Structure formats: structure tokens, C-alpha cells
Amino acid sequence: MYRETAIVNESEVTGDLVINMGPQHPATHGVLHLVVHINGETIRKVEPHLGYIHRSIEKMSESLSYRQFIYVTSRMDYLSSHINNHACAMCVEKGLQVEVPPRAQYIRVIMDELTRIASHTLWWGAMAMDVGALTPFFLAFREREMINDIMEETCGARLTMNYMVPGGVMYDLHPLFQQRVKEFIKHFRSKIDEYDELVTGNIIFQNRMKGVGILTKEDAVSYGCSGPTARGSGVSCDIRKLYPYEVYDKVQFDEPLETAGDSFARYLVRLQELRQSMSILEQLIDDIPEGDIQAKTKAVLKLPKGEFYTRAETARGELGVYIVSEGGTTPYRIKYRSPGFSNLSALDHMARGGKIGDLVAMMGTLDLVIPDIDR
Amino acid sequence: MAFLKKYFSNIFQAIRSLTTGMRITAGYALRHGKEKITQQYPDNKKTLVLPERFRGEVVLTHDENNEHACTGCTACELACPNGTIKIITKFDVSPEGKKKKALDTFIYHLELCTMCNLCIEACPTNAIRMAQTFEHSVFDRNKLTKKLNNPGSKIREGVE
Amino acid sequence: MPSLEHIANLVHDWLNAQFSPGLALFFEFFIIGVLIIGLFSILGLVLIMMERKVSAWMQLRLGPNRVGPKGMFQTVADTVKLIVKEGMTPDGVDKLLFNLAPFIVMIVAMVIMAPLMFAKNFQIWDINIGVFFITAISSLSVIGILMAGWASNNKYSLLGAMRSGAQIVSYELSAGFALLTIVILTGDLKISAIVNAQSDGWWIFKGHLPVWIAFVIFMIAVTAETNRAPFDMAEAESELTAGFHTEYSGMKFALFFLAEYVNIFVVCALGATLFLGGWQPLHFGTGTGFNRVMDYIPSSIWFAGKTFFLIFVIMWFRWTFPRLRIDQLLNLEWKYLLPISMFNLLLATLITIMGWHF
């Protein structure tokens, strides 16, 4: 029957209950708004609504110079702010044809891996909190706090450091840096087994995780998932392996892959990444070469006319930075390919047919950072 | 029989995994106080040591003669992505009658600052630095707009 | 030594000497009412404080330490805050049910106190169907929760209430079967008789295998019945914000909160009575010096000690485990706890008939 009003409330037709999860909800880790259609406890459909924390970072970056726009990207994925800054700095360096001194390269990679560990430990705690275990959150913060202290000592800030500058890093390492990192690795190696005992091995946790939120390899590719989310489905997509930047080609590390594609696989991938990051740190920390920390650059940077694209592996996946330059001091157009946005788009596909509790667990394993999705 | 075996081994494994977790939390509960991740913040204010590089706010350093090193070159103002710094210059007339550009007022908007450190990097004379203060909350927003150069201060001799 | 029994008898005798028996009984009712309400508020304060401290210890924190010495008056301050807060009734709720629900939950928790034996010969009502009375009344609290969830006119509340309904109704069964194990061993439903049967040893020692299994099942089932994590489906903070009490604020919320803790106390007291010998002291063998030292500790302390140990265990669960999903929760009950507890009941019957227990 033809209906004049085109807008039909879908829930009136299907009889589903529509609940708004968010923008203020304990499980959405920020201001993500999910419109969840449920039938009983079973999820029929999930619609993510974005835009609550859109700050137009891309547009803002267009009015800032090539030195200035890097700091804004810390505010996208604030948990891996170093890696965001790194990707932007690399893009500018690509345009300037600047070779980064080896010491700066080592420092950058070490900082990236520290950031990855900090991000993954926070994720681990938040993930456990999503499924209802509150104690792991505090244990995770114990480790994260150590990294934050290391960062604070060297970079001057704990979360949004702005340590990467085009051509290198802002200042040299703190004299105690290497010692602190070694202490941290020693501490973390003794504690990471506790993570397994407390959460991974727990039968309730495994039941909550196994077999829910299944994302097949094909789906992961077609939704453009990257990072641990895709690796949990068996897609090899680690930028550090495939397109090594800085000194990633000099270190030995594995790319953890799981084939199950469920929440538990994604969880395991992230836990293994913690161990891999530690092994990268151990390989690099002792032989940081002496030398300059910054390449010589002009005071006012001007990128030649053209388009530049770099990518980096953040804690959440592939971050792409695309700069269009008209030859001026500010970018003509900047586009960030953020991993969270693509990963979130798979949520509806994964969640259908699951329970409300599963949805929360899935959001946990996707490791969503809302400012990264909205930008 | 195989079903029963699986059923009971499931139960046994479940109980074992649960007791493993409970052992850890009980261990922490028994050792409470020895290791803690929280700080008793306002109480430990006296002993709180912040790293030297900690970015709290921008300050203009003055020496004991109330002299600073700012030439009023506005490099920091240009480097700032947020328009946090505004430098008002004046012209000093030297005894020889030569006019020289100098700092009149260094206005710093703390409410706009993101502590990105770019101004410190840009300063050619190391006149400004980051201070280790961090309790910046005030009741009136106007109090966050600060004048960094002390009244009556002047540029240090020999700084160009 | 003045025991609670002694004091109760003194009051009883004095009242009967002063007034006619009917009036004396009325005054006793009044005193009991005041005492129970007093116990409620103290339990609320102590248990919430305990929960916060236990959680802090497990999470490498210090817990409340500002109000009063070692933060002891933190919960008092919280209560004052909740009392002075506006008791809001949102538009669009079913006003009668919305306001009635917290009281129903509260009154149910209060009524279960009646047959509990707090110390030697110190009991409000030694009803001859004590255990049955407790199981019957405690299943009423689900009505209050369903009422709150339905009347709130909130989708989260409704989901929480429905979950809670399914959960409490199913876990009643295995909790009941676990209690029946002890009833079979004792041969009596009366609480005082059950406690007296344990004078030569607690059931957890005497009854061996079936009682151990029953005890574990009882602890799991009551954790679920009181809506505590890992079975806090009704609240499920990360899923349903606050579940059935999302719309409640001020004192009405506090009543739900208090009822939760009092329920924990009641079920733990029941567990202590049935499995750990109630007020009976710990004895090894007969007539040793150790036993005499144990006898010297007042019976009320024994009872409180056992109860608080069980409360600690339930809190320990909460701060260790993740939450189950609703279907897994029901799976656990219908596929594991219920069959096991039924077989356990048969085993207990066999043991009782053959006299194999100690």
C-alpha cells in the first residue's frame, strides 16, 4: 500500500524495542550514540550516530602551519597520541624530503611502542569493566601510570605530548629514560601473567567472549577494518610489517593473528601485541644511537605542491594522513583515515543476533575511542 | 558417558579458573596498603615532585634585577597554534637617541593554551619557559588572561 | 556474663510485671520494631563501608578515608546526603507503584529477619517452618523489583526488571534445594532445631560431600538472588546504566540500596545458620581446652563472625568476576545448578537414611 509519509518508524512495523545507548552511557566510553533495536534481549539492528564530539580537526588543520597542525592530532585518538603525531610528522617529512636522524627514529619507535602498551593496558581494563569486572581496571592503571610517568619525564606531558616535530623529536631523552623503560618492562613482564589469570582464563569471561561478535575475514576486509580488529579475523594488516617505517624493519617481532574472528580472538590479539611491543622495546632500548634528534629544517616549512600520504599503525589500526599541498605554509586539504571509524562500521554486522551484553563486550573489543571516530 | 565426563570436567575447569582469579584479588586484599596506585592528592602537595619538563603554564623568566630576555620578536606568537600569546611592543629610545623595538606587554591566555610547547621551541632567546604549576582553576575566566612581564621589568643587557 | 538472651528475658519479665500480658506483648512488638529498624540502618552503614573498603583493598586503593577516623563516617555522610536530596518522581511514571516499590523491597527484607537466630536463644519468632518461611518471603522481593522496573516507564528499567524476574525465580529453586539438604539432615524446618542439631559439629563438617556441594550451590544461588555481581543482571551497570532503579533518586534509591545489603546480610546469616552452625562455637573433639576457650566467646560474636565471613566471600565474588550474560545465567541455573542440586538432594537423603554422616 502506498503511504504518503515516507518516514515510517521502523520499530512500529517490526515491533522492536528501540533503546538509545548513549550519548551518555557507561559502556560507550564517551559520547557514542547507538540506537539499538532489540527484540527481547536479542539485537536486531545497531545504528551508530556520530557527531557529538566532532571538532572539525581536519578543517582546523588547514588553517595551521605544518609545525602547528601536529599537536591537534593528539586530540583525535588521545590514547595513541604519539603515533598520530608520528604519522603527521612523517607525512610532512615526506613532503620536505627530510631524512630523520637515526637517534630520532629510534626514539620515535620506542615512544610509539610505549604508547601502544599504555593504550592496550587501558583497553584491557576498560574491556574487563565493560563485561563487569571492576578490579582489572585498577590493575591496568598501575602499569599505565608507569608509562605515563616515563612520558611525563621525557615529553613533559602525560597524554597529549606533542613530542614529534617535523624532522625529529622535540627534545632529547631524559637521562633516566632507558633505566625507567627497563624497569617498566621488568615489572610488566611479571604482571602480564596476572592479566591472563584474572581475566583471560576466567570461565565467565571466556563464555562472554567466545563465539560472539563474529567478523569473518571477508567482512573484515570489506568493512575496511584494520589493526587488532582485523587481525582477530585473520587479516594480516600490520603497517609496521607490511610497510615498515622508521626502524621497524630492523626489529624482530611477530604479527599476532587469530582466525576465529570473535571477540575473544580480538582480545587475544591485543594481549599478544602487548608482549610483542615489549620485545620491540627490549631490542631497541639498549642501542639507541648517539646523534642529532632533529634534522635541520627551515623555520617556516613549505611543502611542495602535491599530495602526500603516509600511514602508521596506531593501537587501533591503520592511521592514514593525506595532505594536499598547494605550495603554501598551510595544507590545502588534510584527510585523516582514522581506524576507529572503519572498525565501528562493522559493529552493526557483528552485533545482529547477539544479546545486549554481547554488544557491550563487542564495543569493548573494538577498542573505540570516540574522538578518533568523530575527529 | 562421554557427555557426563565433559559435563563434570567443564564444572571442574570452571571452578579452577574462578579460584585462580579469586586468589589474585585475595592476595591484593591481604597485602593492602603495601602497594597502592592512588595518591592522597592535596595531602602530598608538599612532597609532590613534578618532572623538570612538565608543561604547566608559560612563564617569562625574570632574574634578580627584574630583567627578562624577551626582545619582543613575536616568534612565539607566530608559533602558537591557538592564538594564546599576544605581544605588544613599544620603542625604547636609547641614550644615543636610537630607537629600539622592545617588549611592552606579554599577554598570555592560559584558557586557550594547550601546552604544546611550540612557543618555547620557537623562542630565540630562551626568554620563556614552562612552569611546573598545574592548579589553574579560578572562578573568573578573566583571571586566566595573564600579563607575563613584571611591572617595571626591562630587557637584559646584551640580549639581541 | 550478660548475654543477649539474658537482657531479652529481663526486659520481658519487667514488662510483664508492670503491664498486663497483652500490653506487654504490644510493647515488645514496638521494641522489636525499633530494634529491627535500628539494625537495618546500622547494617546499611557497616556493610556499605565494608564493601567500599574490601573493594579498595582488592583494587590497590585506600577506600574512603576522609570523613571521621579512617573514614568510618563516610557512609553516615552519604546517608545524610541521600536523605536531604529531593525524592523525585518523574513525569510519566505510575506514581503509586513507583513510590510503593522501594517499600515493598524493604519490608520483604525486614520480614525475613523474623526467624533468624542472632545469638543463643535470641530470636524474634521461632516459627516451626523457619526455613520455609524465609524462602517463601524472600521470593516476594522480585515483585518489588518488577514493580519498580515497570512503573519507571523506562526501557532500561523494564529490561532490568524482566532480567531480575527471570533470574530470581530460577535461582530460588537451587537455593531452595540447597536449604532442603540441611532440612533433610536435620529433619526439621525450625531454625532453633537446625542450630541445636549442630551442637556437636557444624553441618559443613558433619555432612561431608552433599553439604559441601549444597554450600557451594547455596552461595552461588544467593549471590544471584540478591542481584549481586557476577549476577547483577538487573543493574548491569555497563549495559543498562542502573537497571531497575535508573529513575530513582534520593531516599527512594537509598531504600533499594539498603535492601540489597540487608538481603545480603539475611542470606549470609541463613547460610551461617544452616551450614556453619549459627551461633555454635567451633569445636574440635570433646572437652579440650580449645573448646572451652571457644565457648568463652559470646554466641552473638560467633554468629556475626560467620555471617560477615560469608558476606566477605560474596563481596570477593563481586570484585573478582566479570558479569554473566543473561542466557548464560539461566544456562548455569537450569543446566548445572539445578540438576546437581537435585542429585545432591538424593545423595543427602541416602546419607541421612543410612546414617553415614557424622
Side-chain angles (χ1 to χ4, degrees):
Chain A
M1 195 183 80
Y2 172 73
R3 287 182 71 155
E4 211 169 58
T5 47
I7 301 161
V8 182
N9 197 342
E10 195 187 326
S11 63
E12 277 172 19
V13 180
T14 56
D16 290 345
L17 186 69
V18 181
I19 57 174
N20 288 299
M21 238 183 193
Q24 297 294 327
H25 190 276
T28 52
H29 299 295
V31 285
L32 179 64
H33 179 188
L34 297 176
V35 179
V36 187
H37 295 243
I38 51 171
N39 185 343
E41 283 266 343
T42 312
I43 292 168
R44 283 286 176 79
K45 192 173 147 195
V46 179
E47 285 174 55
H49 284 197
L50 303 178
Y52 289 91
I53 193 160
H54 181 73
R55 293 146 302 168
S56 68
I57 284 182
E58 287 170 6
K59 195 74 195 162
M60 259 164 83
S61 306
E62 287 169 19
S63 63
L64 296 173
S65 77
Y66 288 111
R67 277 190 200 284
Q68 290 172 341
F69 88 96
I70 291 175
Y71 98 97
V72 193
T73 55
S74 307
R75 274 83 183 163
M76 295 198 309
D77 182 353
Y78 50 81
L79 289 179
S80 45
S81 56
H82 248 308
I83 310 176
N84 295 351
N85 294 350
H86 190 174
C88 296
M90 280 197 302
C91 198
V92 176
E93 284 150 15
K94 195 175 183 181
L96 292 173
Q97 304 279 327
V98 170
E99 185 67 24
V100 180
R103 184 174 174 82
Q105 290 193 11
Y106 271 73
I107 294 174
R108 280 178 168 191
V109 169
I110 288 170
M111 285 297 176
D112 280 5
E113 292 310 313
L114 278 176
T115 312
R116 199 182 311 280
I117 293 177
S119 172
H120 279 353
T121 44
L122 180 73
W123 157 81
W124 179 77
M127 159 90 252
M129 206 161 72
D130 278 343
V131 292
L134 298 169
T135 307
F137 192 68
F138 291 88
L139 302 186
F141 260 81
R142 176 184 55 191
E143 272 77 61
R144 187 164 180 272
E145 204 63 13
M146 290 181 80
I147 298 182
N148 278 353
D149 286 344
I150 294 171
M151 293 288 188
E152 195 181 9
E153 237 175 29
T154 293
C155 315
R158 297 165 72 82
L159 199 66
T160 50
M161 303 91 164
N162 190 31
Y163 184 57
M164 311 280 180
V165 292
V169 291
M170 199 174 254
Y171 15 64
D172 207 351
L173 292 175
H174 192 270
L176 289 173
F177 180 79
Q178 277 155 303
Q179 185 197 333
R180 292 274 155 95
V181 171
K182 278 180 213 161
E183 275 169 20
F184 166 74
I185 291 171
K186 198 166 162 246
H187 169 87
F188 197 36
R189 283 235 187 265
S190 69
K191 294 294 178 192
I192 195 162
D193 294 332
E194 209 167 71
Y195 285 24
D196 283 339
E197 286 171 22
L198 191 57
V199 175
T200 319
N202 191 303
I203 184 81
I204 303 174
F205 183 78
Q206 291 196 356
N207 280 340
R208 282 294 299 273
M209 287 294 163
K210 278 185 183 163
V212 304
I214 291 179
L215 188 69
T216 58
K217 194 171 178 178
E218 292 72 34
D219 287 333
V221 172
S222 63
Y223 278 106
C225 296
S226 56
T229 310
R231 288 200 279 281
S233 307
V235 183
S236 170
C237 59
D238 197 331
I239 306 296
R240 297 173 292 170
K241 275 270 181 208
L242 298 178
Y243 306 97
Y245 48 95
E246 311 290 14
V247 290
Y248 276 119
D249 48 355
K250 290 182 193 164
V251 289
Q252 294 291 319
F253 66 100
D254 296 331
E255 180 185 2
L257 282 179
E258 295 280 331
T259 47
D262 56 359
S263 293
F264 198 61
R266 291 190 282 274
Y267 173 88
L268 287 179
V269 165
R270 284 205 169 83
L271 270 197
Q272 287 168 40
E273 275 194 7
L274 279 174
R275 292 198 163 87
Q276 292 304 326
S277 289
M278 274 194 285
S279 115
I280 295 176
L281 281 178
E282 276 171 340
Q283 290 171 46
L284 293 180
I285 193 68
D286 275 326
D287 36 50
I288 304 175
E290 295 296 321
D292 288 340
I293 49 155
Q294 268 186 41
K296 288 270 180 292
T297 46
K298 286 183 187 138
V300 179
L301 301 179
K302 274 186 186 168
L303 255 64
K305 194 169 177 179
E307 297 175 3
F308 309 97
Y309 183 77
T310 50
R311 40 185 163 184
E313 179 79 13
T314 76
R316 265 146 220 90
E318 176 186 340
L319 173 78
V321 180
Y322 176 61
I323 296 181
V324 181
S325 171
E326 292 274 272
T329 54
T330 57
Y332 175 74
R333 173 83 173 90
I334 279 197
K335 160 81 183 144
Y336 300 114
R337 187 261 181 222
S338 68
F341 185 79
S342 314
N343 290 352
L344 176 70
S345 63
L347 183 65
D348 178 40
H349 176 78
M350 284 153 58
R352 287 192 187 199
K355 302 274 186 288
I356 297 175
D358 291 339
L359 176 66
V360 173
M362 276 172 236
M363 284 200 298
T365 51
L366 284 181
D367 195 8
L368 301 174
V369 168
I370 313 305
D372 181 38
I373 297 165
D374 264 356
R375 298 193 295 287
Chain B
M1 236 20 229
F3 165 74
L4 269 185
K5 202 177 162 194
K6 196 169 164 245
Y7 184 84
F8 283 108
S9 77
N10 273 353
I11 292 173
F12 182 71
Q13 277 169 9
I15 289 174
R16 207 178 55 186
S17 81
L18 295 180
T19 44
T20 321
M22 283 174 79
R23 208 184 57 230
I24 289 173
T25 42
Y28 280 124
L30 292 177
R31 276 179 283 132
H32 70 92
K34 293 218 176 64
E35 184 189 4
K36 63 181 195 326
I37 56 163
T38 48
Q39 294 190 4
Q40 299 296 299
Y41 166 57
D43 298 348
N44 68 356
K45 222 173 182 175
K46 295 245 164 54
T47 55
L48 202 64
V49 184
L50 286 165
E52 194 190 335
R53 291 178 187 172
F54 180 80
R55 300 170 190 166
E57 63 175 318
V58 176
V59 290
L60 187 65
T61 42
H62 291 78
D63 60 10
E64 61 275 12
N65 303 327
N66 202 14
E67 287 173 342
H68 56 73
C70 180
T71 57
C73 69
T74 70
C76 49
E77 189 180 337
L78 291 171
C80 182
N82 310 310
T84 305
I85 296 169
K86 178 88 189 112
I87 291 187
I88 301 170
T89 51
K90 61 181 178 189
F91 283 99
D92 273 352
V93 184
S94 61
E96 298 95 57
K98 237 169 88 182
K99 266 188 172 180
K100 197 183 164 198
K101 199 168 140 193
L103 178 73
D104 180 50
T105 318
F106 194 116
I107 296 170
Y108 171 55
H109 294 275
L110 181 55
E111 76 269 28
L112 299 177
C113 185
T114 56
M115 320 296 167
C116 66
N117 213 38
L118 287 174
C119 51
I120 316 288
E121 291 286 298
C123 185
T125 55
N126 288 334
I128 47 177
R129 65 172 181 88
M130 281 283 180
Q132 275 79 48
T133 52
F134 55 93
E135 281 185 331
H136 295 314
S137 48
V138 285
F139 282 103
D140 186 1
R141 186 154 78 179
N142 294 326
K143 284 182 186 154
L144 292 172
T145 305
K146 295 180 177 181
K147 192 180 157 213
L148 290 190
N149 51 336
N150 288 352
S153 63
K154 61 180 196 302
I155 186 162
R156 199 176 297 141
E157 284 299 314
V159 177
E160 286 302 324
Chain C
M1 204 174 83
S3 63
L4 287 173
E5 176 195 6
H6 195 65
I7 298 165
N9 285 339
L10 273 182
V11 172
H12 179 75
D13 291 342
W14 185 80
L15 281 174
N16 274 315
Q18 300 291 320
F19 308 105
S20 65
L23 205 58
L25 191 64
F26 175 76
F27 278 125
E28 279 174 12
F29 280 170
F30 182 74
I31 291 170
I32 286 167
V34 171
L35 284 182
I36 285 286
I37 292 172
L39 181 69
F40 250 61
S41 39
I42 290 169
L43 272 180
L45 298 181
V46 170
L47 289 181
I48 293 169
M49 193 67 209
M50 181 177 163
E51 171 112 283
R52 294 173 76 169
K53 276 291 182 189
V54 167
S55 68
W57 291 349
M58 288 182 178
Q59 297 173 343
L60 310 166
R61 296 184 285 122
L62 290 177
N65 63 350
R66 294 290 147 137
V67 188
K70 301 213 167 209
M72 280 195 293
F73 299 126
Q74 182 66 50
T75 43
V76 180
D78 289 348
T79 317
V80 171
K81 174 243 174 191
L82 282 170
I83 288 172
V84 297
K85 206 173 161 182
E86 186 189 355
M88 217 169 59
T89 309
D91 253 9
V93 302
D94 188 327
K95 297 240 167 18
L96 175 70
L97 295 185
F98 184 82
N99 290 317
L100 194 62
F103 293 100
I104 291 207
V105 173
M106 196 70 190
I107 288 166
V108 166
M110 249 178 204
V111 171
I112 317 177
M113 288 259 180
L116 286 182
M117 206 169 195
F118 292 98
K120 193 177 182 182
N121 297 336
F122 186 75
Q123 200 174 6
I124 297 167
W125 188 22
D126 194 7
I127 183 175
N128 58 357
I129 51 161
V131 174
F132 183 60
F133 178 84
I134 290 175
T135 41
I137 298 291
S138 67
S139 53
L140 285 179
S141 69
V142 68
I143 295 178
I145 291 176
L146 276 174
M147 241 183 201
W150 175 256
S152 290
N153 197 8
N154 177 318
K155 288 164 183 170
Y156 285 122
S157 302
L158 185 63
L159 279 172
M162 288 302 156
R163 283 176 171 197
S164 167
Q167 174 186 342
I168 293 182
V169 167
S170 9
Y171 277 82
E172 277 287 318
L173 282 170
S174 46
F177 275 119
L179 295 181
L180 275 185
T181 315
I182 300 298
V183 171
I184 285 170
L185 284 165
T186 317
D188 210 330
L189 283 165
K190 206 172 176 177
I191 296 278
S192 60
I194 291 173
V195 176
N196 286 335
Q198 301 180 63
S199 58
D200 55 340
W202 306 349
W203 275 126
I204 195 116
F205 300 134
K206 282 204 297 182
H208 49 88
L209 191 65
V211 178
W212 297 339
I213 297 173
F215 183 64
V216 172
I217 289 174
F218 178 79
M219 286 313 286
I220 296 172
V222 295
T223 314
E225 245 190 280
T226 48
N227 280 328
R228 295 274 302 178
F231 305 101
D232 58 343
M233 306 311 313
E235 291 170 41
E237 197 226 340
S238 61
E239 293 158 32
L240 304 178
T241 56
F244 65 94
H245 57 63
T246 309
E247 296 288 344
Y248 283 88
S249 63
M251 209 51 211
K252 276 181 264 178
F253 162 73
L255 285 181
F256 275 121
F257 204 54
L258 196 58
E260 182 190 329
Y261 283 95
V262 173
N263 271 326
I264 296 166
F265 174 80
V266 169
V267 294
C268 288
L270 191 66
T273 310
L274 263 60
F275 296 95
L276 304 179
W279 52 265
Q280 302 276 10
L282 180 67
H283 280 180
F284 285 120
T286 44
T288 55
F290 176 78
N291 284 359
R292 238 169 290 138
V293 173
M294 291 288 124
D295 283 338
Y296 197 72
I297 299 171
S299 57
S300 50
I301 303 276
W302 272 110
F303 178 76
K306 291 167 187 174
T307 310
F308 274 85
F309 171 71
L310 291 186
I311 292 173
F312 173 76
V313 171
I314 284 190
M315 288 179 180
W316 190 5
F317 287 161
R318 173 166 181 184
W319 298 108
T320 309
F321 299 143
R323 187 183 300 118
L324 276 81
R325 209 169 60 206
I326 182 71
D327 55 329
Q328 291 164 354
L329 180 98
L330 297 176
N331 266 356
L332 173 69
E333 164 64 21
W334 295 101
K335 287 190 184 164
Y336 291 93
L337 294 187
L338 191 65
I340 292 173
S341 56
M342 281 164 113
F343 275 105
N344 191 40
L345 195 65
L346 284 178
L347 192 65
T349 319
L350 187 71
I351 280 179
T352 316
I353 291 170
M354 306 304 279
W356 283 342
H357 62 84
F358 302 117

